[in-house]
Amino acid sequence: MYEEVGRALRVLFPIGLTVICLTVYALFHRLSVVVMTAVIGLVAIIWAIAAASVVFGKLSILVAAAPLVILVISTSDVVHLATAYRIELGRGLDREDALRKVMREVGGACLLTSVTT
């Protein structure tokens, strides 16, 4: 069982992270969005693994699979926010107004998605 946990964390997670980063770059052609996606996902993963370690005291197969799931869901939230932001900028809003509108209209849904994950 611990071999599978190690394999999931050492092999599958880096592959998933690479595929997600390449996909986000292909969508937005901006390294800043890729970095933002990775940072947000990695912070969420650290919190999740830390919380699971405190609660359960050890790693399990489920906890080993969680980082990739968390990364995928956080990526979808970032893509949703970045796309909505790009649309608002395209409609002629300045950066601050576009950001406020996106956070008001899309931010709540992304927050709920992240919290329930």
Side-chain angles (χ1 to χ4, degrees):
M1 184 167 98
Y2 282 105
E3 287 178 29
E4 286 300 314
V5 170
R7 183 174 165 266
L9 293 174
R10 282 190 318 271
V11 177
L12 298 178
F13 179 73
I15 291 171
L17 179 63
T18 302
V19 168
I20 285 173
C21 287
L22 291 173
T23 303
V24 170
Y25 186 78
L27 286 171
F28 292 100
H29 300 290
R30 295 188 62 121
L31 192 58
S32 62
V33 179
V34 174
V35 170
M36 182 174 52
T37 301
V39 167
I40 290 170
L42 293 174
V43 167
I45 290 165
I46 290 168
W47 275 97
I49 290 180
S53 296
V54 168
V55 171
F56 299 116
K58 61 182 177 180
L59 290 177
S60 67
I61 298 267
L62 184 60
V63 173
L68 196 51
V69 172
I70 292 168
L71 185 63
V72 169
I73 292 171
S74 66
T75 300
S76 68
D77 287 345
V78 171
V79 167
H80 196 147
L81 288 167
T83 302
Y85 180 69
R86 182 188 279 180
I87 289 170
E88 295 304 327
L89 288 177
R91 290 182 179 161
L93 292 176
D94 66 10
R95 290 179 160 196
E96 287 186 26
D97 289 338
L99 186 59
R100 282 191 192 102
K101 186 172 183 182
V102 167
M103 293 310 293
R104 190 174 50 247
E105 293 179 359
V106 181
C110 292
L111 177 67
L112 290 175
T113 303
S114 298
V115 168
T116 56
T117 301

